[in-house]
Amino acid sequence: HPRSCAVCTFRGQHGAVQPFSDEDASIETLSRCSSFSDAMSVAEEGGEAGEETAQEDLQYKLKVFIDSTVDKSAKTRQGALDGLKAAMATRILYEFISDRRMTITDSIERCLKKGKGPEQCAAASLACLLCIQLGSGVESEEVFKTLKPIFKNILLDGAANIQARQACATSLGLCTLVAEDDILDVYATMESFESLFMRSYVKEDGSRPSLNPQTTLLHTNALLSWALLLTICTGSQVKAVTHKHLPKLPRLLENDDVNMRIAAGETIALLFELARDMDPEFEYDDWEPLCDKLNSLATDCNKHRAKTDKRKQRSVFRDVLKAVEERDFQTETIRFSTERMTIDSWVRKRTYDAFREFVGSGMNYHLQANEFIRDVFQLGPPMLVDAATLKSMKISRFERHLYNAAAFKARTKARNKFRDKRVDVGEF
């Protein structure tokens, strides 16, 4: 049957897989084919037979992408990584990926070790999406055990490509959240992040370090990943971290980079929230000077700063100031399908922002159907939605089929946990 997707150009006259052309390897083309719109239209028109064809088409494309991650051409490898990323960000592919997880992991490892900057960045992002698809458990732990040493080597290697280091700083944080099975290893990874962002702290003599923008971005990413892991730390660890870092973090609010100022502000708000959760009477010695500094950033009119930077900064720091001064949080409601989720704390916000960075516009779909992400945000198993509601959601028949299949599977698994206690005993 005729198809518009660019991936079909991979097939020769007799169905052989051909190398990517320059046009096919472009991110734009791969994004289009990764949306699988052609498969959707076939499914819509062809009922169950169409769904089966679309599923086969989807799997064929994914297999081509996986095979192409070991191609000799860097452009082809990059295109294949981007294709897999787009697919994992917008679909639930657990069953397909689970059987091939170590093959994909080997490809990621090879691209991280031998690729150049952009390829390493794509591989690092794909590692996160792979863990998000697999969820917490033995499978993702197995993947992470292979990739963690490589992430850390690149992250801490001053001679490595700076963009690759920035990507590893972000990916290592989320992969640790999802797949690390030992809290002591979480702390060790946090120390790796500390060793980077502390270099942006004001020196003992009061002078600020002179860093280029790319290094500052590396430190910003390390700080955000460190804050993400802080959300799963024990009370005693939070107390130790607060004592060590809260006196120093406010000086990062003076940084020339707007993203570092914002990351520091949000991390300060998070620390105050965690400290007050443990001790409602928590007090900070330099509370008034801190509030003055936050208020200054919330009303910043500095003519030397870009308008967009000032607008972004003022919005964030109004919320940070409320958190520190009034113990208040600007609640946000996320709507997806027939459900809604409330972002009502800095812990929840940091976690949501971290996942959204990787799945992008697919976040609502993952909130709707990804068992692991629903578990993280305590949404319960995916809801089984009636046919009329699904129809009104304006998605294709194939997507409705995938959604209900995922929901039904999750609901069955959840019920079985309660019904058959012998499973728990046996596993122990």
Side-chain angles (χ1 to χ4, degrees):
H1 51 270
R3 286 185 285 274
S4 59
C5 182
V7 175
C8 292
T9 59
F10 294 159
R11 299 182 187 180
Q13 197 170 356
H14 305 290
V17 175
Q18 301 297 326
F20 286 29
S21 70
D22 286 354
E23 183 185 353
D24 294 331
S26 74
I27 292 174
E28 186 183 352
T29 305
L30 283 163
S31 296
R32 281 205 302 274
C33 69
S34 297
S35 71
F36 311 115
S37 57
D38 58 325
M40 297 301 115
S41 61
V42 168
E44 193 68 48
E45 292 163 12
E48 287 184 16
E51 285 172 13
E52 194 174 325
T53 305
Q55 185 74 353
E56 288 173 3
D57 245 21
L58 169 59
Q59 292 192 3
Y60 174 81
K61 291 165 191 172
L62 292 172
K63 286 172 185 174
V64 169
F65 286 140
I66 291 169
D67 291 343
S68 299
T69 57
V70 295
D71 196 272
K72 289 181 181 178
S73 162
K75 195 168 187 178
T76 300
R77 293 194 303 273
Q78 174 82 47
L81 292 169
D82 287 329
L84 286 170
K85 278 170 55 188
M88 289 191 200
T90 55
R91 288 283 172 275
I92 305 301
L93 301 168
Y94 173 77
E95 289 187 10
F96 177 86
I97 286 171
S98 179
D99 294 337
R100 298 166 177 80
R101 66 186 182 279
M102 294 319 294
T103 303
I104 298 170
T105 302
D106 289 344
S107 293
I108 293 170
E109 180 181 5
R110 192 179 295 107
C111 292
L112 283 170
K113 284 181 173 178
K114 298 185 178 180
K116 298 283 172 61
E119 186 181 332
Q120 290 173 300
C121 293
S125 294
L126 182 59
C128 277
L129 288 161
L130 179 59
C131 286
I132 289 169
Q133 288 280 344
L134 295 172
S136 287
V138 175
E139 291 173 328
S140 59
E141 286 168 16
E142 194 178 23
V143 168
F144 188 50
K145 198 169 285 184
T146 301
L147 299 178
K148 182 170 76 167
I150 304 163
F151 278 148
K152 284 197 172 184
N153 285 343
I154 295 171
L155 178 68
L156 301 174
D157 181 1
N161 179 279
I162 190 67
Q163 281 83 17
R165 295 180 72 198
Q166 291 162 359
C168 286
T170 303
S171 295
L172 178 60
L174 190 64
C175 285
T176 301
L177 182 83
V178 176
E180 186 61 85
D181 61 345
D182 188 334
I183 193 66
L184 295 178
D185 288 333
V186 172
Y187 299 158
T189 297
M190 289 178 73
E191 286 175 6
S192 296
F193 291 135
E194 284 180 19
S195 72
L196 292 173
F197 72 75
M198 284 177 68
R199 294 176 194 174
S200 282
Y201 280 172
V202 171
K203 297 175 183 175
E204 288 183 9
D205 62 4
S207 63
R208 285 193 311 195
S210 178
L211 302 168
N212 65 52
Q214 291 298 325
T215 302
T216 298
L217 180 54
L218 169 64
H219 294 180
T220 302
N221 290 0
L223 176 60
L224 288 171
S225 284
W226 178 82
L228 176 66
L229 298 182
L230 195 57
T231 65
I232 58 170
C233 285
T234 60
S236 58
Q237 181 69 5
V238 168
K239 195 171 181 179
V241 160
T242 304
H243 179 75
K244 179 180 178 181
H245 289 281
L246 198 50
K248 296 176 182 177
L249 276 168
R251 293 300 301 271
L252 286 181
L253 301 174
E254 302 162 18
N255 197 283
D256 292 332
D257 185 272
V258 65
N259 292 315
M260 174 58 94
R261 292 195 299 273
I262 288 172
E266 292 185 338
T267 302
I268 288 167
L270 176 66
L271 273 172
F272 266 88
E273 180 178 276
L274 291 168
R276 285 166 173 168
D277 281 348
M278 288 189 303
D279 178 11
E281 303 302 315
F282 171 77
E283 290 185 1
Y284 175 58
D285 291 340
D286 295 321
W287 184 79
E288 284 188 15
L290 173 60
C291 289
D292 289 342
K293 194 173 284 186
L294 294 173
N295 185 55
S296 171
L297 290 165
T299 56
D300 189 5
C301 296
N302 191 324
K303 290 181 181 179
H304 300 292
R305 287 182 182 150
K307 280 185 180 179
T308 50
D309 285 356
K310 282 191 286 190
R311 197 179 301 120
K312 183 180 175 185
Q313 176 183 286
R314 286 197 293 255
S315 173
V316 170
F317 279 98
R318 282 196 293 269
D319 293 342
V320 173
L321 180 61
K322 272 187 178 180
V324 174
E325 205 170 37
E326 304 171 25
R327 303 181 180 227
D328 193 19
F329 182 86
Q330 188 67 39
T331 301
E332 181 185 355
T333 301
I334 311 294
R335 290 180 175 82
F336 51 98
S337 177
T338 58
E339 300 174 81
R340 63 179 61 188
M341 178 181 79
T342 304
I343 307 290
D344 56 3
S345 68
W346 289 98
V347 167
R348 213 166 169 85
K349 182 183 187 309
R350 179 79 282 272
T351 308
Y352 177 80
D353 287 348
F355 281 110
R356 190 179 58 179
E357 184 166 350
F358 289 97
V359 299
S361 61
M363 188 64 187
N364 281 5
Y365 183 77
H366 279 272
L367 284 170
Q368 196 176 306
N370 185 312
E371 292 176 51
F372 166 66
I373 286 186
R374 290 182 67 87
D375 191 40
V376 167
F377 292 104
Q378 300 169 320
L379 296 169
M383 290 175 62
L384 284 170
V385 181
D386 62 82
T389 307
L390 272 174
K391 196 169 184 179
S392 71
M393 285 161 59
K394 296 182 180 176
I395 58 176
S396 74
R397 184 180 293 143
F398 179 56
E399 286 177 298
R400 291 199 294 270
H401 167 75
L402 287 178
Y403 172 65
N404 264 339
F408 183 77
K409 181 182 170 190
R411 181 69 52 93
T412 304
K413 279 174 73 175
R415 284 176 177 162
N416 286 346
K417 280 182 184 177
F418 291 101
R419 284 179 181 162
D420 191 359
K421 292 180 181 177
R422 289 171 300 173
V423 173
D424 294 332
V425 174
E427 285 177 349
F428 253 85

